[in-house]
Amino acid sequence: MVREKKIFPLAEGVTTADTFAVIGDKEKFQKHKHAWRVWRALKEFGCVVYPVAEELQRIDGSKVYPNIAQLKDKVTVIVPCLLPESLKSLVSDAASLGVSKIWFQEQTWTLEFQQECDSVGIEVIRGCVLRHKSHLPMRFLNPCYWHGLKDAKVPSKRFGR
């Protein structure tokens, strides 16, 4: 018997059925910083998600792509986890790949990115992916729980939800 994959809403029209590219760098993936946490959370949600970092081959057994161009026709949402100065060609690269949405994490969005996205028809989502994670049983101690208190949550597989 084949189990039907359950689809959960995330932010502003993004669901767990979307395919994602998480852009970080070697340090943000290897030292389990934000890019790694976002990538792991999306994987836990059951999403198809690709890590992207130039100087990294593999992380936790998964292939890491050197750039988003390697993901042509594979992703619908790009999730940048680097500061804007490291993402100069983000919008033009996303547009050339046919990406429909960029989900800007805290401190990655700029007005310039917004204007570029508007001009090429890419939808902008703002806010942390981790706000949609169910932080059981320690939810009250996790800042992402409080920041995303009213956001849709994806049930945790670990705690039978």
Side-chain angles (χ1 to χ4, degrees):
M1 179 163 78
V2 178
R3 277 177 80 179
E4 189 175 317
K5 182 178 176 181
K6 194 152 186 185
I7 297 172
F8 296 97
L10 294 171
E12 301 175 42
V14 176
T15 70
T16 55
D18 280 297
T19 54
F20 299 83
V22 176
I23 301 174
D25 59 20
K26 187 176 182 176
E27 179 180 324
K28 291 192 186 287
F29 278 108
Q30 285 187 325
K31 294 195 175 178
H32 295 188
K33 291 190 176 183
H34 196 73
W36 182 84
R37 288 181 181 164
V38 167
W39 171 69
R40 291 294 298 184
L42 289 168
K43 280 181 68 166
E44 288 173 14
F45 295 168
C47 302
V48 174
V49 57
Y50 303 96
V52 177
E54 281 184 6
E55 300 170 354
L56 199 55
Q57 307 283 305
R58 298 191 79 70
I59 186 76
D60 295 349
S62 294
K63 177 181 178 177
V64 178
Y65 292 81
N67 55 56
I68 58 172
Q70 303 282 319
L71 299 170
K72 184 154 180 66
D73 300 326
K74 290 187 179 183
V75 298
T76 56
V77 181
I78 292 177
V79 184
C81 295
L82 293 171
L83 293 176
E85 48 275 6
S86 301
L87 301 165
K88 297 290 185 206
S89 63
L90 173 68
V91 176
S92 59
D93 291 347
S96 70
L97 295 175
V99 170
S100 58
K101 300 172 182 140
I102 298 177
W103 190 346
F104 289 97
Q105 300 302 283
E106 305 296 331
Q107 301 177 7
T108 63
W109 178 89
T110 65
L111 183 56
E112 292 78 23
F113 281 148
Q114 181 71 52
Q115 292 166 340
E116 284 181 63
C117 286
D118 290 346
S119 71
V120 296
I122 293 177
E123 188 179 337
V124 169
I125 293 100
R126 292 175 60 190
C128 183
V129 168
L130 301 177
R131 292 165 60 158
H132 301 281
K133 184 174 179 180
S134 181
H135 295 279
L136 295 173
M138 303 293 286
R139 66 179 168 244
F140 299 110
L141 302 177
N142 192 303
C144 292
Y145 173 82
W146 293 106
H147 291 287
L149 194 56
K150 295 182 181 175
D151 293 326
K153 304 285 187 216
V154 176
S156 173
K157 293 176 186 169
R158 281 190 280 175
F159 298 104
R161 299 200 180 233

